[in-house]
């Protein structure tokens, strides 16, 4: 299992661990489950789906609740700059308009002399709450925005399917390369062991005086060169193992090794024209570009709709309640104002509103129109990208097809060459041991045998790799990240019928 994506390996984890023997199908299944790049694309698909769901919400009204509350306090003083006894309001406002209990003139209760003042401290607790509704009745940008989001989702899904194809090809190539490097290690190791046997035979013949010292020196030089080849083969195998481990996103301590024997894939079952037509049909790489083009076109329409009117309905309703208290009264200069103060009062109320809002952008100095033109140009650019990708697909298929045919022909020749080189090596070694042939012929014949074995191995791996490249262009893959993925190494009969148009 892959580790957490944001972790770095520890020194203990970097230490060499066990070798995991895997078949190609097992390696593909692990790659599909563990690949960090594939998992990142799954997240992109999920993000695009969430964006579409968000865009669909624009067809519905928004309802929000609001509430606020708090306390406000203040201290105020009201001072009269002019007496109020000349207003003609009667004895209540006169400085001597009333009589006290002793019959002496006294000021009316509402009389305020010049400089009279009243001060108090006020505090108010209040709370307000309600609901608000907004609904766009007419919005020309809404539908294009939803269509653009849906096209973006399709683009991400097709990108996911194409990444599945690419990952299968990368894993297959790495697996076949590791098979080749493993086999080269065996070939060069057997070659080196054979060198030791021939060297011992040469030493024995030299001891018996049957061969010159030159044969011994030549055998030692050949052994040293073959040892270098084995050392390089071991290094190439180690690199190939790590390349496969990276593609499978294996822990740093796990080293993969191929368990499948090297078996040549059959001849590609389709001709070149049928392969091209089948590759173009439903190709996720091309469909991703078409989906991108659709998304850009819809985004351009949505942007241009910013210059059109927008009609919205709004409605709100709620209630409020407040409590006001007056304290710390202070009268100065003979009183003030004659107002009645309420020490504690409560106010309750409610309100509602509804209406329509029309907005129409009349002038923005060409900003919106320029943005729409930019999106339209990007849409036009995707058409050229589609043409370039279509040509790349054709070139990839033609290269893989011709190389596949050539590899099959080379494999047939290499098999004949290996059979002939093996018989020649057996004959020349027997002749050499009986003194009928020279060591030089033994060395040349051995080199031809090793070269024939390597050529047969290279041709076999080339057949498999070119088959995998052709398969990548036609292999059906799910667009849904939640759908199961079944590794497939050859075209099925149903796929062949679909590709050729036959029932």
């Amino acid at each position: 299992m892959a580790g957490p994506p944001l972790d770095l390996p520890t020194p203990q984890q970097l230490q060499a661990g066990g070798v995991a023997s895997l078949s190609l199908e097992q390696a593909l299944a692990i790659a599909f489950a563990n690949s960090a790049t594939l998992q990142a694309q799954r997240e992109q698909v999920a993000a695009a789906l969430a964006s579409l769901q968000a865009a669909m919400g624009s067809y519905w009204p928004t309802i929000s609740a609001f509430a606020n509350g708090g306390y406000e306090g203040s201290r105020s003083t009201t001072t009269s700059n002019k007496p109020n006894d000349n207003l003609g309001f009667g004895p209540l406002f006169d400085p001597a308009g009333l009589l006290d209990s002793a019959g002496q003139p006294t000021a009316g209760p509402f009389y305020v002399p010049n400089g009279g003042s009243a001060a108090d401290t006020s505090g108010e607790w209040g709370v307000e709450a309600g609901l608000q509704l907004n609904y766009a009745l007419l919005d020309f940008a809404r539908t294009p925005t939803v269509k653009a989001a849906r096209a973006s989702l399709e683009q991400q899904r097709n990108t996911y399917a194409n990444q599945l194809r690419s990952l299968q090809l990368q894993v297959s190539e790495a697996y076949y390369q590791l098979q080749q490097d493993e086999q080269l290690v065996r070939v060069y190791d057997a070659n080196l062991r054979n060198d030791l046997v021939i060297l011992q035979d040469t030493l024995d013949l030299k001891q018996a005086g049957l061969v010159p010292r030159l044969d011994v020196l030549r055998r030692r030089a050949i052994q040293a060169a073959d040892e270098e080849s084995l050392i390089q083969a071991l290094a190439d195998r180690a690199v190939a193992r790590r390349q496969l481990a990276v593609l499978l996103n294996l822990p740093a301590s796990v080293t993969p090794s191929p368990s499948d024997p090297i078996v040549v894939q059959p001849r590609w079952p389709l001709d070149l024209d049928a392969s091209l037509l089948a590759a173009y049909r439903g190709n996720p790489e091309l469909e991703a570009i078409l989906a991108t083009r659709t998304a850009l076109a819809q985004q351009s329409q949505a942007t241009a709709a910013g210059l059109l009117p927008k009609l919205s309905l709004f409605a709100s309703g709620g209630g409020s309640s407040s409590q006001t208290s007056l304290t710390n009264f202070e009268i100065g200069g003979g009183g003030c104002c004659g107002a009645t103060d309420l020490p504690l009062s409560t106010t309750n109320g409610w309100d509602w509103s509804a209406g329509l809002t029309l907005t129409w952008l009349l002038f923005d100095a060409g900003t919106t129109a320029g943005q729409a033109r930019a999106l339209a140009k990007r849409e036009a650019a995707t058409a050229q990208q589609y043409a370039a990708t279509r040509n790349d697909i054709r070139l990839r298929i033609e290269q893989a097809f011709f190389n596949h045919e050539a590899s099959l022909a080379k494999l047939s020749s290499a098999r004949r060459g290996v059979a002939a080189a093996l018989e020649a090596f057996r004959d020349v070694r027997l002749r050499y041991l009986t003194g009928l042939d020279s060591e030089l012929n033994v060395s040349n014949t051995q080199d031809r045998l090793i070269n024939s074995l390597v050529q047969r191995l290279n041709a076999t791996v080339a057949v498999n790799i070119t088959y995998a490249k052709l398969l990548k262009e036609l292999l059906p893959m799910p667009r849904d990240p939640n759908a199961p993925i079944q590794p497939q190494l050859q075209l099925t009969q149903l796929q062949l019928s679909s590709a050729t148009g036959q029932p």
Side-chain angles (χ1 to χ4, degrees), residues 95-363:
L98 298 178
L99 299 175
D100 59 11
S101 59
Q104 299 296 323
T106 183
F110 298 125
Y111 168 70
V112 179
N114 183 20
S117 65
D120 59 32
T121 299
S122 65
E124 181 178 359
W125 289 94
V127 62
E128 181 182 9
L131 295 176
Q132 184 173 354
L133 178 144
N134 289 283
Y135 181 50
L137 298 176
L138 182 64
D139 186 356
F140 293 100
R142 178 168 49 193
T143 298
T145 299
V146 172
K147 290 182 178 180
R150 184 176 288 110
S152 297
L153 175 60
E154 290 302 314
Q155 184 266 332
Q156 294 294 342
R157 284 176 170 172
N158 282 290
T159 300
Y160 169 75
N162 189 59
Q163 284 191 358
L164 286 175
R165 283 182 165 186
S166 299
L167 181 61
Q168 170 153 333
L169 175 60
Q170 292 172 0
V171 172
S172 298
E173 287 180 321
Y175 192 90
Y176 292 141
Q177 183 63 51
L178 181 54
Q179 281 184 322
Q180 182 179 20
D181 292 335
E182 292 272 7
Q183 189 63 29
L184 284 175
V185 168
R186 298 187 183 98
V187 170
Y188 289 131
D189 181 67
N191 186 39
L192 184 59
R193 285 187 278 106
N194 187 68
D195 286 341
L196 295 175
V197 173
I198 296 179
L199 176 60
Q200 185 61 46
D201 292 339
T202 305
L203 290 172
D204 293 341
L205 293 174
K206 171 66 174 57
Q207 189 71 23
L210 299 178
V211 296
R213 178 171 173 267
L214 177 62
D215 287 358
V216 176
L217 295 177
R218 184 183 291 119
R219 289 313 308 175
R220 292 189 184 278
I222 291 174
Q223 176 193 354
D226 291 342
E227 187 174 356
E228 292 178 6
S229 299
L230 176 59
I231 292 173
Q232 186 60 51
L234 290 171
D236 293 340
R237 183 182 67 177
V239 172
R241 285 177 171 179
R242 291 318 309 163
Q243 287 177 337
L244 181 59
V246 169
L247 286 173
L248 304 186
N249 197 18
L250 295 176
S253 60
V254 177
T255 301
S257 177
S259 63
D260 289 345
I262 298 180
V263 178
V264 63
Q265 290 279 22
R267 182 182 296 273
W268 182 249
L270 300 174
D271 60 27
L272 181 58
D273 292 342
S275 299
L276 288 171
L277 294 177
Y280 290 145
R281 189 181 303 117
N283 190 299
E285 188 175 2
L286 294 176
E287 291 186 355
I289 298 176
L290 292 178
T292 301
R293 183 170 180 266
T294 301
L296 290 171
Q298 296 299 327
Q299 290 173 6
S300 177
Q301 292 185 20
T303 302
L307 298 174
L308 299 177
K310 181 178 180 181
L311 182 64
S312 300
L313 168 69
F314 69 88
S316 64
S320 62
S321 178
S322 63
Q323 186 179 69
T324 304
S325 62
L326 297 176
T327 59
N328 300 328
F329 296 100
E330 182 180 344
I331 303 298
C336 175
C337 307
T340 301
D341 288 320
L342 300 178
L344 186 64
S345 61
T346 300
T347 303
N348 296 311
W350 66 275
D351 64 88
W352 63 272
S353 63
L356 297 174
T357 300
L358 177 66
T359 57
W360 195 344
L361 180 62
L362 300 179
F363 178 75

